[in-house]
């Protein structure tokens, strides 16, 4: 039977390098997340339809234009994020000392 003091924690869970706590949460990049939401197909389509309605133009033109812009943004961001060697570093935030760190 193992004692509590022998418990090492989940080996896959990261440990804070500052306070050595295992109480950490994963964080995504907030800037890229906001950019992805603003340039999403749904957002651009609703914006295109709204602009066309405002200027009394057929809303189908707004949908087609928004689809083309969303496709171009998607291709551009994929090319910018796809280097030959990808090293992905995950961002974490310690819930004990509130310091961010990367692994």
């Amino acid at each position: 039977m193992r004692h509590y003091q022998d418990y090492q924690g989940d080996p896959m869970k990261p440990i804070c390098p500052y306070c050595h706590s295992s109480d950490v949460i994963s964080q995504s990049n907030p800037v890229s997340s906001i950019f992805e939401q603003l340039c999403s197909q749904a957002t651009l389509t609703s914006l295109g339809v709204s602009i066309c309605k405002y200027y009394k133009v057929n809303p189908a033109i707004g949908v087609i234009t928004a689809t083309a812009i969303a496709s171009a943004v998607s291709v551009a961001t994929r090319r910018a994020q796809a280097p030959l060697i990808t090293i992905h570093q995950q961002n974490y935030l310690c819930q004990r000392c509130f310091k961010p760190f990367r692994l």
Side-chain angles (χ1 to χ4, degrees), residues 12-65:
M12 298 303 289
K13 186 153 180 130
I15 303 294
C16 175
Y18 304 106
C19 69
H20 306 290
S21 171
S22 63
D23 190 17
V24 298
I25 57 171
S26 175
Q27 293 185 312
S28 62
N29 187 348
V31 174
S32 67
S33 177
I34 291 170
F35 179 75
E36 288 170 2
Q37 290 175 0
L38 289 175
C39 294
S40 70
Q41 177 77 33
T43 304
L44 290 174
T45 300
S46 66
L47 179 64
V49 169
S50 297
I51 290 171
C52 286
K53 283 182 180 179
Y54 179 79
Y55 287 109
K56 296 182 173 98
V57 178
N58 187 350
I61 294 172
V63 172
I64 293 168
T65 305

Side-chain angles (χ1 to χ4, degrees), residues 66-84:
T67 302
I69 293 171
S71 298
V73 168
S74 176
V75 168
T77 56
R78 262 190 263 133
R79 284 188 180 168
Q81 293 177 351
L84 294 176

Side-chain angles (χ1 to χ4, degrees), residues 26-29 85-92 102-103:
S26 175
Q27 293 185 312
S28 62
N29 187 348
I85 300 175
T86 304
I87 299 174
H88 179 68
Q89 291 185 330
Q90 181 66 41
N91 294 327
Y92 294 97
R102 287 185 174 193
L103 289 182

